[in-house]
Amino acid sequence: MSTVMNVPKNGGLTRTTNNSSSYLPTWSSWIDDIFNRELSSTFSQNFNTGMSLPKVNIKETADAYFVEMAVPGLKKSDFNINLENQVLSIATEVEENNEETKENYTRKEFGYSSFKRSFTLPETVEDGKIKATYNEGVLRIHLPKKEEAKQKPPRNIQIS
């Protein structure tokens, strides 16, 4: 007799026994299949599971690096941007509490979401001149290069 793990469409695991004399699933797997079949996806779609990790664009030019992160719905004060040991960290924590009181009921909703992204910066970044802006849901960080790291334009060298 061997144990087999079946993976149903909803991603949950159920245990059945692979025995030639038994063609029926175990009682617990039958119950799991009933409750996990449609309810799991229905409930998970209706509940906010927190903020997803925002996507980041990083661009390099001759003079600087640019980091852009799409994070709509936040305020400048929601961000915590740190630089420590050449590691740039961008983090946010947002807590929401809503309460609505009427004559015969009170409705309370709360939520919490957060994320943190970290990037190791090259030593060519002039860390004292880093600037960040947040406008229309996009966080932009300007990371200027040190003077010696900037690309110089090509020049023609004469032979003497």
Side-chain angles (χ1 to χ4, degrees):
M1 176 174 12
S2 65
T3 303
V4 178
M5 299 299 276
N6 292 330
V7 181
K9 291 179 189 175
N10 65 6
L13 293 177
T14 59
R15 186 181 297 270
T16 59
T17 6
N18 190 7
N19 186 345
S20 58
S21 63
S22 171
Y23 294 103
L24 295 174
T26 62
W27 177 255
S28 62
S29 69
W30 181 74
I31 295 294
D32 285 344
D33 285 344
I34 288 174
F35 284 102
N36 290 330
R37 187 172 302 134
E38 295 299 323
L39 293 179
S40 175
S41 63
T42 302
F43 282 121
S44 66
Q45 291 172 358
N46 291 330
F47 290 105
N48 182 4
T49 58
M51 184 180 294
S52 62
L53 202 57
K55 301 217 186 263
V56 174
N57 293 329
I58 300 175
K59 181 174 83 170
E60 180 181 10
T61 65
D63 299 333
Y65 299 95
F66 296 91
V67 176
E68 291 182 328
M69 181 182 291
V71 279
L74 298 176
K75 301 178 296 248
K76 289 191 309 187
S77 60
D78 292 334
F79 293 98
N80 185 9
I81 303 172
N82 289 319
L83 179 65
E84 183 177 346
N85 296 327
Q86 292 301 112
V87 176
L88 178 72
S89 298
I90 305 165
T92 185
E93 292 182 12
V94 179
E95 188 174 342
E96 258 185 78
N97 289 310
N98 297 321
E99 183 174 334
E100 180 181 341
T101 305
K102 299 283 184 179
E103 273 183 39
N104 55 356
Y105 74 91
T106 299
R107 183 182 82 169
K108 290 184 178 183
E109 292 184 11
F110 65 93
Y112 178 84
S113 57
S114 68
F115 74 83
K116 182 175 184 177
R117 298 284 313 252
S118 296
F119 308 93
T120 301
L121 299 181
E123 292 184 18
T124 58
V125 171
E126 184 72 47
D127 60 358
K129 296 182 179 178
I130 296 174
K131 294 182 181 173
T133 60
Y134 181 69
N135 188 21
E136 295 185 11
V138 179
L139 176 67
R140 290 180 176 86
I141 302 175
H142 177 244
L143 305 156
K145 291 182 180 178
K146 294 178 181 175
E147 198 59 42
E148 63 269 13
K150 293 180 182 178
Q151 288 180 349
K152 312 270 188 289
R155 64 184 180 103
N156 196 5
I157 299 173
Q158 299 294 322
I159 301 173
S160 56

